[in-house]
Amino acid sequence: ILSDPTGYTVHYPLHYFLLSRINFIISDPTGVRFFMMLVSLFMPFLLFKVLQQKYQNKNINILFIISLCIFFTPAFRYASIWANDRITTDIFILIGSYFFFLFQESKNAKNLYITLFCFSLACYSRQFYTLYYAIFLIYIFLNCSFKNFIYLSLFSLILSLPGFYLLFKLPYFFKGL
């Protein structure tokens, strides 16, 4: 049974579901925020790995410094302290981007499936990221065979079914933005 979240959020519930699982282990809200802050400290490492995958022939020290710049962004600092959905979404985006750059190097379609899966998880945490998802679908259409595009589109359709269900049950997710 879905309860109406309109008084609390206009975002899809994946982040809040994951946060509630953490809350089973750490029942203190400050402890949950501290745990999420520790998880967010992993983001510069993820960004470094993504940059390293994308720019393989570049100076690793420069990539490391660039990845540390994330600590200076206000959005990162407030999101990591308050345990909001931005950190969860950014982690999924970074993992998906890593596999996307792996695909560009290897042309292994499995990496595109992982990319789309990670981006769909990001969309289920914060639906603003559907724009990135759409950009990846356009890229797939322009750069993959028609057969792969059809398979990946069907995979995307399957991934979108929970979102359509949520929109059907709670139309505020669509109208509230």
Side-chain angles (χ1 to χ4, degrees):
I1 297 176
L2 292 173
S3 62
D4 185 11
T6 56
Y8 308 104
T9 186
V10 294
H11 297 300
Y12 275 177
L14 180 62
H15 168 76
Y16 303 107
F17 175 77
L18 295 174
L19 210 56
S20 72
R21 302 302 103 187
I22 295 168
N23 197 37
F24 281 138
I25 300 167
I26 306 168
S27 59
D28 177 41
T30 304
V32 170
R33 285 197 297 270
F34 182 73
F35 176 79
M36 286 301 292
M37 186 210 48
L38 292 176
V39 168
S40 70
L41 291 176
F42 186 61
M43 277 187 54
F45 174 74
L46 280 175
L47 180 59
F48 173 71
K49 295 307 281 181
V50 169
L51 291 173
Q52 195 176 29
Q53 181 62 38
K54 173 67 176 164
Y55 303 106
Q56 294 178 2
N57 299 326
K58 301 295 180 188
N59 186 338
I60 198 167
N61 294 324
I62 293 173
L63 298 178
F64 180 72
I65 290 170
I66 291 170
S67 67
L68 291 180
C69 288
I70 198 169
F71 286 123
F72 297 112
T73 61
F76 172 79
R77 291 195 312 249
Y78 81 74
S80 61
I81 292 170
W82 290 107
N84 75 9
D85 56 356
R86 182 178 181 96
I87 295 297
T88 307
T89 304
D90 288 347
I91 287 172
F92 290 135
I93 291 289
L94 286 171
I95 294 170
S97 297
Y98 177 79
F99 282 99
F100 175 71
F101 294 134
L102 270 178
F103 165 76
Q104 285 188 321
E105 179 185 328
S106 68
K107 299 299 181 199
N108 184 350
K110 175 187 80 163
N111 292 323
L112 277 181
Y113 285 97
I114 296 170
T115 296
L116 291 177
F117 179 72
C118 289
F119 271 67
S120 70
L121 292 177
C123 294
Y124 285 127
S125 293
R126 187 176 259 215
Q127 64 267 39
F128 304 131
Y129 287 86
T130 55
L131 180 61
Y132 291 124
Y133 197 94
I135 289 169
F136 274 98
L137 287 179
I138 292 168
Y139 174 87
I140 291 167
F141 177 73
L142 295 175
N143 295 296
C144 292
S145 69
F146 185 72
K147 180 181 172 184
N148 279 343
F149 175 72
I150 294 297
Y151 288 145
L152 288 162
S153 295
L154 290 173
F155 181 68
S156 293
L157 178 67
I158 292 167
L159 292 175
S160 69
L161 292 177
F164 285 123
Y165 175 75
L166 285 171
L167 285 175
F168 175 74
K169 291 302 243 182
L170 302 167
Y172 182 78
F173 282 135
F174 188 70
K175 293 186 270 181
L177 299 174

